[in-house]
Amino acid sequence: MSRAFNFSAGPATLPESVLRQARDELLEWRDAGASLVELSHRGPEFMQVAAEAEADLRTLLSIPDDYAVLFLSGGATTQQALVALNLASPGQAADYVVTGHWGRTALKQATPYAEARVVASSEAGGFRDIPARGDWRLSADAAYVHYTANETIHGVEFREVPDVGAVPLVADFSSSIAAEPIDVSRFGMIYAGAQKNLGPVGVSVVILRRDLLERAGQPRAPIFDYAAHAKAGSMLNTPPSFNWYLAGLVFKWMLAEGGVAEFARRNARKAALLYAAIDGSGGFYRNEVAPAARSRMNVPFFLHDDALDPVFLDEARAAGLISLKGHRALGGMRASIYNAMPEAGVQALTGFMQAFQGRHG
């Protein structure tokens, strides 16, 4: 077996040691006599897995006790609708900062349930920068302020947590959670689809300040109610138990590797190496994001001649570098270099890029 370096934006690469452990435990989990996929989510075996996963995530992200941690079905787009249902009263406004495709999607998901107002946007500039905080038109009566910490498609990332005063700050951290230390206490809510930096597709993490669970929100069924899920320990319905288990293995792997602080150092080195290769190519490659807003997780780049795009992808695949095609909204290339992407993968990519330029420049 020869595994390629997988630069997919999501579902994304997972640590090989985690995949091997899951493979070894798939047929029978410990001495249970059955696979974890086959065991009840309310049985003692899975209850242990769930408890360990929450404890490890709390340790990994330094989550305070006054925050609930939920493991829920689906992805971040589901949470984008549930945020408004749970945190905004009927007719109440919510402020949205839009810096890319996923910020725009969050706005769209909230619009049926709240007066979703765009208080800042970088769309006019092609989503290549972060709007200056002084230009945001925040409202004191908003239910919350929402932003996307890292835009997976456009490659734009907030490098600082914005100060929005007393209004709860809600952030989509799907593609940058656990990439560096964050002060959870500055947020009312953080949510993230697991399939980029935390685990497999199909499960999301919600970190919610407990006092916000008391908000009445919109009329909704219990299955859409964060407070009901918190009370049930994220087992109001049958959860995606195997996905939850895999995410738990990733948490343990990250802790064993040195935790979030260590991954922040690795991610900084990987991003610096890749951007240096792009910027030092004399225009053969280019990244169009303002340098101060460049993502460490998702690096879109373009060749000087887009006729070379299919050639680049074919040769990269032959070199063991896969999933580099850019999103259809932008074209070009995109390298997603999440926590599980080793530095050796980025070194292989930059070496290939230099060799490709030598052949086709």
Side-chain angles (χ1 to χ4, degrees), residues 7-350:
F7 295 91
S8 174
T13 192
L14 288 166
E16 185 172 334
S17 61
V18 166
L19 293 175
R20 290 184 181 279
Q21 181 177 348
R23 177 199 62 186
D24 294 343
E25 294 180 344
L26 181 59
L27 196 60
E28 181 181 10
W29 190 78
R30 299 185 183 175
D31 59 352
S35 171
L36 197 66
V37 179
E38 304 168 303
L39 296 172
S40 169
H41 60 292
R42 300 188 187 281
E45 296 87 0
F46 184 73
M47 294 294 284
Q48 178 184 347
V49 167
E52 288 182 7
E54 178 175 341
D56 288 341
L57 185 62
R58 285 185 177 277
T59 299
L60 194 62
L61 299 181
S62 300
I63 301 172
D65 291 340
D66 59 339
Y67 283 73
V69 175
L70 309 178
F71 292 86
L72 302 178
S73 303
T77 307
T78 300
Q79 305 313 318
Q80 290 166 354
L82 295 184
V83 167
L85 277 172
N86 282 266
L87 301 188
S89 301
Q92 188 177 15
D95 289 349
Y96 279 75
V97 179
V98 180
T99 54
H101 173 88
W102 294 110
R104 203 162 47 190
T105 300
L107 179 76
K108 179 181 178 180
Q109 296 301 319
T111 297
Y113 310 113
E115 184 190 337
R117 301 190 289 211
V118 178
V119 298
S121 174
S122 57
E123 185 167 11
F127 294 130
R128 295 183 178 94
D129 206 348
I130 301 293
R133 173 62 186 84
D135 296 336
W136 296 13
R137 303 176 302 277
L138 298 176
S139 43
D141 62 343
Y144 55 85
V145 178
H146 181 283
Y147 79 106
T148 306
N150 181 79
E151 284 285 355
T152 317
I153 293 173
H154 290 89
V156 175
E157 182 178 10
F158 280 79
R159 302 303 300 126
E160 303 289 341
V161 177
D163 184 356
V164 297
V167 177
L169 183 61
V170 175
D172 178 355
F173 263 91
S174 292
S175 51
S176 59
I177 192 166
E180 67 178 357
I182 56 172
D183 183 356
V184 174
S185 68
R186 295 191 60 185
F187 296 87
M189 174 178 164
I190 289 170
Y191 65 92
Q195 70 270 18
K196 302 176 187 298
N197 235 11
L198 292 182
V201 68
V203 64
S204 292
V205 168
V206 171
I207 302 166
L208 182 61
R209 208 172 66 211
R210 294 188 191 276
D211 65 291
L212 295 178
L213 291 170
E214 300 172 8
R215 287 195 176 184
Q218 312 279 336
R220 58 197 182 278
I223 197 63
F224 301 135
D225 183 45
Y226 284 144
H229 282 287
K231 184 177 180 180
S234 298
M235 296 189 192
L236 189 64
N237 62 326
T238 304
S241 55
F242 192 71
N243 311 62
W244 191 342
Y245 152 78
L246 273 176
L249 294 185
V250 174
F251 305 161
K252 290 184 183 300
W253 170 76
M254 286 190 65
L255 289 169
E257 291 287 309
V260 172
E262 171 58 23
F263 281 95
R265 289 187 284 270
R266 296 181 189 181
N267 292 330
R269 291 194 298 266
K270 290 186 296 185
L273 180 62
L274 183 49
Y275 284 117
I278 294 168
D279 295 341
S281 69
F284 188 87
Y285 304 105
R286 72 183 189 278
N287 172 273
E288 299 179 346
V289 176
R294 283 175 165 180
S295 170
R296 297 157 304 141
M297 299 283 97
N298 309 100
V299 182
F301 61 95
F302 304 89
L303 279 69
H304 75 102
D305 180 0
D306 58 14
L308 286 172
D309 287 3
V311 181
F312 182 96
L313 292 170
D314 286 346
E315 292 190 13
R317 189 177 301 109
L321 309 168
I322 65 172
S323 303
L324 284 164
K325 185 177 181 179
H327 191 273
R328 61 185 179 276
L330 288 184
M333 307 298 149
R334 176 176 52 170
S336 294
I337 50 177
Y338 302 122
N339 285 348
M341 171 58 65
E343 292 180 61
V346 180
Q347 291 166 351
L349 173 58
T350 55

